[in-house]
Amino acid sequence: MIIAPSILNADNLNLQKDIKQAITAGISRFHIDIMDGHFVPNLSYGPELVSDFRQEFPASQLEIHLMSDKPDVLVPAFVKAGADMVELHYEAMDEDELNHWLDYLRQNQVNAGLVLNPDTPVTVLEKFMSKLDQVLLMTVYPGFGGQKFIPESRERIAQAVKLLKMADKKIPLEVDGGINGETAGLAKAAGAEIFVAGSYIFKNGNIAGQIKELEAILK
Ligand code: DX5
Ligand code: ZN
């Protein structure tokens, strides 16, 4: 099991401090939410945050959750900034574009992820499986941290895991949104292996303690 903290709900004015605490608590992968104010009604970071992160903490893996329908500008920019993985939304572009950008990531030795919103049928995964290193199922509608896990997600996770078993290689399933001490266990039981958590880790004043609790639940 992997815990990938989303820094969206960390303390923006003390980001370095929060990241260091998570690393000291054993975190090796971070989830960076990129919001463009168009595909989702919120704004977050640009590529400079990623290149600074990469420079300051070179051992951390950075997965970029790209909530944008402007891949032409942003995918190359985040690849250049040093992303280890870019996760593209199925809903953000047409299938030809999606194929193009998945190929682009492969050619640039960057891992490729596909993200599905809560109302996108998981069966769309079948068409792209050969190009994916990871699948991310949203367990809230994207745009904001601190939302509630959608209960129907459990069934979707199980369906997606079943589909992904048909691929030639192992494609792990990640969940994002409303993950806490209770919902992490539900998602794990349904088959998820990578857990994004934002407010649960960063909002209660004890980053290391929250990570330890989540680890204990996911053991
Ligand atoms: C929502 C983001 C999530 C979110 C997670 O659009 O993709 O990564 O920040 O935050 P919590 O864990 O608070 O739901
Ligand atoms: Zn995210």
Side-chain angles (χ1 to χ4, degrees):
M1 302 294 144
I2 296 175
I3 298 171
S6 156
I7 59 170
L8 192 66
N9 275 298
D11 179 354
N12 278 310
L13 298 183
N14 287 292
L15 210 44
Q16 193 188 39
K17 189 174 124 251
D18 281 11
I19 292 165
K20 268 189 188 155
Q21 284 185 33
I23 291 173
T24 305
I27 292 299
S28 57
R29 183 194 296 211
F30 287 87
H31 179 90
I32 304 184
D33 288 304
I34 306 301
M35 303 182 174
D36 70 350
H38 186 257
F39 179 68
V40 287
N42 197 0
L43 280 172
S44 60
Y45 320 103
E48 287 76 12
L49 184 277
V50 173
S51 47
D52 285 358
F53 199 140
R54 166 64 58 243
Q55 204 173 340
E56 189 68 24
F57 303 106
S60 296
Q61 292 167 36
L62 305 179
E63 61 174 38
I64 308 303
H65 175 189
L66 190 64
M67 285 163 270
S68 172
D69 46 19
K70 296 273 177 279
D72 306 35
V73 184
L74 295 183
V75 177
F78 282 101
V79 165
K80 197 166 165 225
D84 294 292
M85 172 175 295
V86 176
E87 305 178 296
L88 303 168
H89 264 269
Y90 176 79
E91 306 80 12
M93 57 198 96
D94 67 35
E95 293 192 356
D96 286 347
E97 275 182 292
L98 187 53
N99 272 307
H100 167 80
W101 290 112
L102 292 173
D103 292 340
Y104 176 91
L105 291 170
R106 174 110 328 154
Q107 283 152 16
N108 284 278
Q109 286 93 47
V110 173
N111 288 320
L114 183 59
V115 193
L116 305 188
N117 273 344
D119 55 359
T120 298
V122 295
T123 47
V124 304
L125 293 172
E126 281 175 271
K127 290 184 242 180
F128 302 96
M129 249 159 22
S130 63
K131 297 185 178 179
L132 301 180
D133 298 296
Q134 186 170 302
V135 165
L136 169 54
L137 284 193
M138 291 309 298
T139 44
V140 298
Y141 282 90
F144 300 92
Q147 304 182 74
K148 271 205 163 62
F149 180 89
I150 298 172
E152 290 75 20
S153 304
R154 293 165 70 178
E155 187 54 38
R156 288 170 55 75
I157 296 165
Q159 280 171 7
V161 167
K162 205 170 155 196
L163 265 179
L164 294 175
K165 286 217 169 97
M166 280 152 32
D168 306 338
K169 57 177 176 179
K170 167 106 180 91
I171 305 174
L173 188 96
E174 180 177 47
V175 286
D176 182 10
I179 296 299
N180 58 33
E182 190 193 337
T183 56
L186 300 178
K188 183 191 170 205
E193 292 178 87
I194 305 168
F195 302 81
V196 176
S199 41
Y200 181 78
I201 289 177
F202 291 110
K203 280 284 186 213
N204 103 333
N206 181 3
I207 293 170
Q210 294 295 97
I211 291 170
K212 290 280 163 287
E213 278 201 23
L214 210 47
E215 267 173 6
I217 291 156
L218 295 174
K219 239 185 206 140

